[in-house]
Amino acid sequence: MATTAELFEEPFVADEYIERLVWRTPGGGSRGGPEAFDPKRLLEEFVNHIQELQIMDERIQRKVEKLEQQCQKEAKEFAKKVQELQKSNQIKEAADIIQKLHLIAQELPFDRFSEVKSKIASKYHDLECQLIQEFTSAQRRGEISRMREVAAVLLHFKGYSHCVDVYIKQCQEGAYLRNDIFEDAAILCQRVNKQVGDIFSNPETVLAKLIQNVFEIKLQSFVKDQLEECRKSDAEQYLKNLYDLYTRTTNLSSKLMEFNLGTDKQTFLSKLIKSIFISYLENYIEVETGYLKSRSAMILQRYYDSKNHQKRSIGTGGIQDLKERIRQRTNLPLGPSIDTHGETFLSQEVVVNLLQETKQAFERCHRLSDPSDLPRNAFRIFTILVEFLCIEHIDYALETGLAGIPSSDSKNANLYFLDVVHQANTIFHLFDKQFNDHLMPLISSSPKLSECLQKKKEIIEQMEMKLDTGIDRTLNCMIGQMKHILAAEQKKTDFKPEDENNVLIQYTNACVKVCAYVRKQVEKIKNSMDGKNVDTVLMELGVRFHRLIYEHLQQYSYSCMGGMLAICDVAEYRKCAKDFKIPLVLQLFDTLHALCNLLVVAPDNLKQVCSGEQLANLDKNILHSFVQLRADYRSARLARHFS
């Protein structure tokens, strides 16, 4: 067939075509040559060629028919498209005409042209409905260009806003399929923002209307469903939901700020948020403070119940205040001491729970309060924290601890008030941290700052006063315990032995026990306090410890060997005083040690010792009082040397 096809040359002449075929066929030539003319062979070639031409004709015919069908189909589609375009233009033309007629009809008097006006209005309405229907269909087909055309025509019709409503409604179909309505809304607005400019001449207005629709219908309904069901039955869940929903709504608003929504989009979005939450935010702080009070009271009550403890009322005013002032100044036991069995009634777990609840309240307050109400609302939350943490828990424990401190003459007293001090200090550090971290940012630029600082200062001063009182009375009890040890263990014969020649030079048993007790209390004080408070309390204890030993030594008469024992005891007390690491305390015991030398020094050397570096500045009466303790003091020789 390829050979046959080559015989078809333009222009085609049948005689020449046959001539070329004969010439190409072996034995078909008429002019001699290598092969003689062969009519049979030529006939056979003609027959075969005719069959090939018939096959070619059939194939070409089928191809022609197929092309004709395709051409007819394309012609119909083209005709349809042309018809649609013509129709579209006629719609556009009709819209322009009816729009102008409608405007003109507005000026015609109704009594003379009522029928005409009615027909124009009817046609106007019908055409408007057709355009909106066409827009709706084009949106469902996703034909952006057709939507743009129809929207442009409708722009001058009253139903243009309805066209926008249809667009907003249909673009939300199937948009909320996830579990997160806020994420769905953000994705929807992002998608529409990319599309709306290709359809409408005022895209920012359409997008703003979509966002308004989303907020006022979809989000408002969702928020209501989430909050109303727990508003009256579960305050905790209600506050958590309100905080979460408001946060997610404001986060969505922040995402939408990147879009063009007109001039003042910040105000626009703020109003939308307010319209959703206004009924919940108006009384938010009442719900917050009411819940915080009940929750805090429950945390405390659960703790005291776990201790099987019934809180006693702490009296205030009048007689109670008078008793407290007398007790602070005199340390007299006014009323029976309470045996708390070593319980401090302070719990770090309780404190952490109270602070956690308050922290969450501060966070919600920051998010949900109107900026003008924020400092005042934060202050209300702070006062609740003060009430339950500082007064109902810490102050109650301090009062109970004070009542549990035994009198100074009690034996084997359990001086656990230092444990109260330690725990109270730890708790107050946590309280102070929350004050700085969570309250201060909310009130720092408002008049409430000074009010909060003043309230905090008052609380600190009240607690410090009670801590000082308790520590003072505890130190007195410590000294009282030492007195009991000395009274029980120190014997008169310790410093005036019957056999002067048979005494081993060492400290007495009373000294050993007192030093052991003192070292234990020093360690406890260091563990119970921090900073300068440690040195302050240790200094006070050291001074009282020195006074006790000084007065204790004044009770005895000393032989020479007894004086040596006293010196050994004071040396041990001085070693104990070194643990205080307070220079004044060590200096006092150094001086006391020097004074004890007056008990043993030879009479001829008394004046020299008294004028020494450590004793030269002391009052002579003090020096004399120690010399008088010597068993040989009344001898004329000693009195002469000391005068």
Side-chain angles (χ1 to χ4, degrees), residues 206-231:
V206 177
L207 183 58
K209 194 167 185 179
L210 167 66
I211 291 173
Q212 183 175 356
N213 184 275
V214 169
F215 271 71
E216 293 182 349
I217 297 177
K218 202 69 182 178
L219 293 185
Q220 184 155 340
S221 176
F222 180 77
V223 168
K224 184 176 180 181
D225 290 342
Q226 294 290 310
L227 294 179
E228 290 299 329
E229 62 183 22
C230 59
R231 189 172 190 174

Side-chain angles (χ1 to χ4, degrees), residues 290-327:
Y291 166 73
L292 186 59
K293 285 181 180 179
S294 62
R295 178 67 177 168
S296 300
M298 186 200 74
I299 291 171
L300 287 178
Q301 191 57 50
R302 188 169 57 192
Y303 167 71
Y304 295 119
D305 288 345
S306 71
K307 299 292 183 181
N308 293 319
H309 176 71
Q310 182 67 41
K311 286 186 74 174
R312 67 188 187 92
S313 60
I314 304 297
T316 57
I319 296 176
Q320 182 64 27
D321 287 345
L322 178 60
K323 282 185 175 181
E324 184 59 33
R325 286 197 296 270
I326 295 173
R327 187 171 61 178

